[in-house]
Amino acid sequence: MGFGIRAFKKVQDDESLKEKREYISHLVYGDNFYAALTYLKLVQKHGSEKVMLVSNNLITQDSIIGSWNCSLNTLRSEVAAQSLMTQKPQLEILPFGGSNVFYKDTKFHKFGGRAKPHELKEDEAFFLEPFFQIKLEGLFTDEQWNSLDETLASNSKIKYISSVEITKPSDLVEVTNYKLKTGELETLDCENLYWCESPKSFYSKVSAKDELSDEVAAFASGLEHRIGLTVYFEVDKKVYADKGTVFLPQSVTHEWGHFIADFNEYDELTQSQSFSCMMFVNEDEVNEEDLAKKIKLMKRVIERVFPEFGKGKYNERIQYDREVLINNTKDETFPNFKNESVRFIGIGAPISAENSSEFTYLARGINSILNL
């Protein structure tokens, strides 16, 4: 009897090493509220048995609200605001009405006056325009929002996607255009892929890039990312008498750029004021030590400009985002995407809209989800 225990164990080990495969018609990938909304929208269209949501971390109400709070307002175009209101009146978009100012020589100054700000670094000028307040919960129905945690907890796969393989379908029943490898000897096969992160991250994970269409490859590889570090503060004092966007120079002696802060007005009911403060980060500053120094500097500058900040107690939430802004979205390629089985959703998505150049960042992401 040559088939002993050792040989049997080897067969068992070999069995466990076999790659697991799962098929789904519509696969949604992403770690944000765009992914949650895409999943919910596709379930309404196709049924839950045909849709799968895959994310690195479990998406929850708290993670979504945290990401909204930990973001500067990027809806700063009246054209885009009017268009989104027409498409989705539940969003309740209103001009914020605050003033955009910069701090220099111990005073606040309006832009365009006699006083000149420190040099504005790349992409900082975008935040000179007044922003619109938007009730993002309006993207969800009340029922979707109230049951979101339960829905996503029971219908999400928490997986890291290590690579994406493009295939030619050979099965008429389980049509497979993409194989997503999870790094756990597991493959998620799908016919339609909805990528809710940057298209550039999709491009980087595709193992054989020559299998991509020229349009997808050119669009995705041509995108430009900005890295941002944002801190959301809730302070138990009135920190700033006004509301709006404030540019605080990181240094008065070096042209390091600004800390850009969006202040909400003081809430008399809770006797607190909240604001988000963001800085752009260079690729060579992304280690933990440098980021900690940056946050320390941010707090020192805020306290120097707003003394009440240092006297109060505050809660904070920190968000590091490698794709805080995505630029160079060439929408002229959009008509060619209609035949593609990958769909991009989010701030780097190609869109088809009149005056599409007005749709930047949040406005672009919302447009992409409304037209899914």
Side-chain angles (χ1 to χ4, degrees):
M1 300 262 314
F3 199 91
I5 292 175
R6 193 173 294 174
F8 179 67
K9 187 172 187 315
K10 185 177 188 306
V11 170
Q12 279 189 316
D13 289 345
D14 287 345
E15 284 294 318
S16 70
L17 288 173
K18 279 186 180 175
E19 190 166 71
K20 290 178 283 184
R21 173 189 179 269
E22 193 168 351
Y23 177 80
I24 196 78
S25 294
H26 303 273
L27 191 149
V28 180
Y29 176 74
D31 235 16
N32 50 44
F33 73 96
Y34 296 114
L37 283 163
T38 301
Y39 171 78
L40 294 169
K41 198 162 187 178
L42 292 175
V43 165
Q44 284 182 327
K45 278 186 186 179
H46 306 290
S48 58
E49 70 284 352
K50 291 190 175 179
V51 188
M52 179 190 293
L53 172 60
V54 179
S55 58
N56 288 335
N57 303 287
L58 183 63
I59 304 168
T60 63
Q61 254 196 31
D62 181 66
S63 71
I64 289 173
I65 292 169
S67 74
W68 289 343
N69 287 339
C70 247
S71 303
L72 289 192
N73 296 280
T74 60
L75 181 54
R76 294 177 185 253
S77 159
E78 190 166 350
V79 171
Q82 290 290 346
S83 173
L84 295 178
M85 276 190 282
T86 302
Q87 292 180 73
K88 188 85 172 175
Q90 299 93 318
L91 283 175
E92 297 181 25
I93 300 172
L94 296 167
F96 190 53
S99 57
N100 291 6
V101 297
F102 65 91
Y103 186 80
K104 190 177 184 183
D105 299 331
T106 71
K107 291 180 186 172
F108 293 110
H109 307 270
K110 288 192 175 179
F111 288 92
R114 290 172 65 184
K116 300 299 173 195
H118 288 266
E119 179 190 348
L120 293 175
K121 296 296 185 181
E122 183 186 1
D123 287 318
E124 289 187 346
F126 170 78
F127 296 97
L128 295 178
E129 294 297 321
F131 63 80
F132 288 80
Q133 270 191 314
I134 178 168
K135 190 178 178 184
L136 288 167
E137 292 93 330
L139 289 165
F140 299 84
T141 66
D142 287 345
E143 185 184 349
Q144 286 173 337
W145 183 246
N146 294 333
S147 61
L148 191 68
D149 286 2
E150 188 184 332
T151 302
L152 298 187
S154 56
N155 294 286
S156 302
K157 276 189 179 293
I158 310 305
K159 300 287 180 184
Y160 171 76
I161 301 301
S162 56
S163 65
V164 177
E165 185 184 323
I166 298 168
T167 64
K168 289 189 167 52
S170 57
D171 188 324
L172 294 177
V173 178
E174 294 188 348
V175 178
T176 301
N177 290 313
Y178 300 97
K179 290 177 174 289
L180 279 67
K181 309 282 185 179
T182 69
E184 301 170 19
L185 284 173
E186 183 179 21
T187 301
L188 304 173
D189 293 356
C190 67
E191 179 178 3
N192 299 292
L193 177 60
Y194 304 82
W195 197 267
C196 302
E197 302 289 340
S198 168
K200 198 165 189 172
S201 70
F202 166 78
Y203 180 78
S204 70
K205 289 183 186 289
V206 171
S207 50
K209 293 179 174 44
D210 55 346
E211 297 287 335
L212 285 168
S213 69
D214 291 344
E215 289 79 15
V216 171
F219 179 85
S221 63
L223 295 175
E224 297 165 359
H225 292 171
R226 292 304 309 275
I227 304 171
L229 184 66
T230 308
V231 186
Y232 173 71
F233 297 98
E234 282 183 354
V235 195
D236 64 353
K237 282 186 174 295
K238 182 186 279 190
V239 174
Y240 179 44
D242 209 337
K243 59 182 183 177
T245 304
V246 179
F247 285 70
L248 306 171
Q250 292 187 31
S251 168
V252 293
T253 53
H254 304 284
E255 295 293 354
W256 289 349
H258 293 81
F259 297 117
I260 305 172
D262 278 347
F263 279 86
N264 295 312
E265 55 196 322
Y266 178 71
D267 188 328
E268 296 283 357
L269 193 64
T270 61
Q271 296 191 323
S272 66
Q273 189 168 28
S274 61
F275 64 99
S276 296
C277 191
M278 190 272 287
M279 70 187 103
F280 290 117
V281 178
N282 297 322
E283 191 72 51
D284 58 359
E285 297 175 319
V286 296
N287 64 72
E288 204 171 312
E289 191 180 338
D290 283 340
L291 295 178
K293 284 180 185 174
K294 286 279 190 184
I295 292 172
K296 233 179 227 182
L297 175 62
M298 176 193 283
K299 290 178 182 176
R300 276 205 311 271
V301 170
I302 292 171
E303 191 171 340
R304 190 167 65 240
V305 177
F306 304 103
E308 290 300 304
F309 176 78
K311 297 174 188 173
K313 292 177 183 172
Y314 60 82
N315 295 318
E316 65 180 50
R317 187 163 186 154
I318 300 168
Q319 184 165 290
Y320 170 76
D321 193 342
R322 292 194 65 86
E323 301 157 10
V324 70
L325 300 182
I326 299 179
N327 295 319
N328 202 33
T329 45
K330 294 181 176 173
D331 292 325
E332 60 270 21
T333 61
F334 182 81
N336 302 314
F337 276 73
K338 289 184 177 175
N339 301 320
E340 298 288 343
S341 46
V342 61
R343 186 76 182 261
F344 297 121
I345 310 292
I347 70 170
I351 61 171
S352 175
E354 196 177 348
N355 303 316
S356 70
S357 61
E358 295 279 341
F359 288 78
T360 49
Y361 318 130
L362 179 64
R364 176 170 291 267
I366 294 173
N367 183 281
S368 71
I369 200 80
L370 293 181
N371 289 285
L372 178 62

